[in-house]
Amino acid sequence: MKKRLLFVMLIVCLIVSSTLMAQDIKRGGYVKMTPMKQGVLVQNFNPFSPNALEATVGLFYETLIYYNPMTGIISPWLAQSYQWADDLLSLTFTLRDDVYWNDGTPFTIADVLFTVNLGKENQALDYSGIWNQGLKKVEAPAYNQVTFHFEEVNTTLIEYFSSIFIIPAHIWSKVDDPLTWTGNTHPVGTGPFIYRDGSFTELSYIVDSNPDYWQIAEDGKPLPYIAGIEYISTTNEQVGFKLANDEYDWAGYFVANIDEVYVKSDPEHHKYWLPAGNLVFLNLNNLKEPFYDPEVRRAIAYAMDSVEICRIMASGAVPAHIAGLQAQFEYLAQPFEDEYGVEYDPDYATIILEDAGYKLNNKGIYEKDGVELSFKLYTPTGWTDWVMGCEVISSQLKEVGIEAILTQAAWPTPYKDNLYNGDYRMCMGIAVTGTNPHYQYTHWMHSDNWAPLGENAANYYGMRYQNKSIDKVLDQYKRETEKAVQDELMMVAVEQFMKDIPSVPLFFNPVWFEYNTLRFVGWPDADNPYAMPRPGGMHKLPVLFNIHLR
């Protein structure tokens, strides 16, 4: 019988950098960060509130596990291990015995049950959405274990638990309406930081490291190495100047002309890294002429230079692989590069079209059976970077005899509505990459999300494309627990996508990450992408656990 036990003790060096040596680490210092909310700050540490400050989840409230999207590794967190039952219909977490809330109260199974059942009683409190994924019931089979029972097999649900922050039952059980509670001015959490009373102003606040935090660093003391964080508000207009003047150690803002504005003032210490976020692609409606012809789609893929598109947009966009995979997952496509890989080659694009029976007319546009390759290229009104990108796309397609007429339409209506009901032929589309390629491909092209023209699809990411072989492996993936087996299944889906090219991946929106090595070192970068440097949620913790004074 296949072993179902997934037991990984949380070893700090797997979460932070294994290269750190205790004798090299200098403790102390307050990291200066800018919150993503611009201007005046409002003290809100309620994790259920959409207006909660970034410090809330991660710094104060933690999750049972942590899923690292840069490595694909699931690390136990408040839970020390987890185990699927043999039938894969229940999942049991074993909690740590050495965790305390920052008011000294022990963290127990009662806190987990209370938190999760809040979401059962009120969907607005189901932050992860786990109760909408076939969760039937939750129970505690032992003093330190909690078991989740599901209606059907889906091992990908493990990732949902990386979004379930646990709150203290002894505090929140006394709150009448958790969703709107504003009295959480000194949050009681298990996390590595504690709010400093009296530090909050309209433009800043301070959190100090928790001296009793349960995770121990390599020097034998609690993580983190830093003494705390000072959050200092800014605006889009101010952030470039403040970064250049060393007023921040970590920021996550778009900065136009960043090399001139920020890096140039101190190239040795002023750094940035733009890892890939959500995918932007040229959405070709596979149910409309001519895009039900895979050769037309393939010709368009060869006709576009995504590197040049990104250069002209100057938005930090990251050119996309033809399979739409983020860099850390491109190994799934590697076996198929020779046969189905695509590189910019406009001459080959014309060969594909002519082999498919298209001929240039007197207007310089390819046509077949009297139908020209001429159509509107839609992009949302006022999305200036996309508009600039579409201008480049239109120019590049014109060079190969395809007329793409740039047309702007308002978002969300009618643009988003048209994506739902299929009322377009060519447009700019976006696909949420989520935590891994399975999540992305499932939401992007599984038939469960498909609909015929004129009917609303389940989401607005798709391109009216169906492939039963892709459905099959995406479904089987959910019945597996071994990563190697899941990778093999994803390779089948990736190969089929590269073969069919239902739409053309263009670029990834960037995750903006500016950092300063003048005072602190140990930041993630393209050469050491150990974490996704997002300031929200749990993603900031691996970074905050790794950095230390120079």
Side-chain angles (χ1 to χ4, degrees), residues 282-303:
L282 189 63
N283 190 328
L284 308 175
N285 193 327
N286 284 213
L287 293 182
K288 288 194 174 184
E289 188 179 21
F291 300 124
Y292 45 61
D293 183 350
E295 293 308 298
V296 174
R297 304 195 299 261
R298 188 172 307 279
I300 288 175
Y302 274 98

Side-chain angles (χ1 to χ4, degrees), residues 53-84:
L53 294 167
E54 286 97 338
T56 306
V57 175
L59 301 195
F60 307 141
Y61 302 106
E62 299 179 294
T63 55
L64 294 175
I65 60 171
Y66 170 64
Y67 179 87
N68 188 329
M70 297 305 296
T71 64
I73 294 174
I74 296 175
S75 297
W77 208 266
L78 290 178
Q80 63 176 314
S81 66
Y82 61 90
Q83 180 181 359
W84 284 102

Side-chain angles (χ1 to χ4, degrees), residues 355-414:
D355 286 348
Y358 287 88
K359 298 183 182 299
L360 278 176
N361 62 22
N362 57 10
K363 293 187 290 185
I365 300 173
Y366 274 104
E367 67 175 47
K368 181 180 179 181
D369 300 329
V371 179
E372 294 181 332
L373 294 182
S374 175
F375 20 76
K376 293 180 179 179
L377 166 56
Y378 284 101
T379 192
T381 301
W383 292 22
T384 55
D385 53 342
W386 283 21
V387 171
M388 293 172 64
C390 285
E391 290 173 346
V392 180
I393 291 170
S394 179
S395 175
Q396 290 177 349
L397 292 180
K398 182 178 181 181
E399 292 180 8
V400 300
I402 299 174
E403 184 178 46
I405 304 166
L406 174 57
T407 307
Q408 298 188 48
W411 178 281
T413 299

Side-chain angles (χ1 to χ4, degrees), residues 474-485:
L474 292 177
D475 290 341
Q476 182 61 35
Y477 183 105
K478 297 189 294 185
R479 295 188 284 271
E480 302 293 340
T481 59
E482 302 295 334
K483 185 178 185 301
V485 177

Side-chain angles (χ1 to χ4, degrees), residues 96-117:
R96 299 181 180 281
D97 294 324
D98 56 349
V99 179
Y100 291 83
W101 299 100
N102 61 30
D103 65 355
T105 304
F107 164 72
T108 71
I109 205 71
D111 300 308
V112 179
L113 293 173
F114 174 79
T115 301
V116 175
N117 284 320

Side-chain angles (χ1 to χ4, degrees), residues 30-41 53-54 199-207 229-235 238-239 242-243 246-253 519:
Y30 280 78
V31 173
K32 295 182 179 181
M33 291 180 63
T34 173
M36 296 309 297
K37 177 176 171 53
Q38 299 184 39
V40 174
L41 300 176
L53 294 167
E54 286 97 338
S199 68
F200 204 96
T201 73
E202 291 185 341
L203 296 177
S204 67
Y205 65 97
I206 297 173
V207 297
I229 304 169
E230 183 178 6
Y231 282 95
I232 307 172
S233 179
T234 188
T235 64
Q238 299 172 339
V239 68
K242 291 186 175 183
L243 280 166
D246 298 321
E247 294 184 37
Y248 293 114
D249 300 298
W250 179 355
Y253 275 67
R519 297 195 309 132

Side-chain angles (χ1 to χ4, degrees), residues 289-342:
E289 188 179 21
F291 300 124
Y292 45 61
D293 183 350
E295 293 308 298
V296 174
R297 304 195 299 261
R298 188 172 307 279
I300 288 175
Y302 274 98
M304 293 188 300
D305 182 356
S306 60
V307 174
E308 178 67 5
I309 293 168
C310 292
R311 187 188 70 82
I312 294 297
M313 289 196 307
S315 63
V318 182
H321 187 276
I322 193 60
L325 299 171
Q326 293 178 329
Q328 65 268 31
F329 300 115
E330 285 183 10
Y331 68 90
L332 297 171
Q334 194 277 329
F336 320 115
E337 294 285 1
D338 290 343
E339 187 170 4
Y340 301 121
V342 173

Side-chain angles (χ1 to χ4, degrees), residues 15 33 43 59 79 97 148 158 186 189 230 275 289 332 373 389 404 408 422 438 450 523 538:
I15 298 177
M33 291 180 63
Q43 187 171 355
L59 301 195
D97 294 324
F148 295 79
I158 183 65
H186 188 95
E230 183 178 6
E289 188 179 21
L332 297 171
L373 294 182
Q408 298 188 48
H438 180 268
W450 184 90
W523 304 97
M538 292 284 288

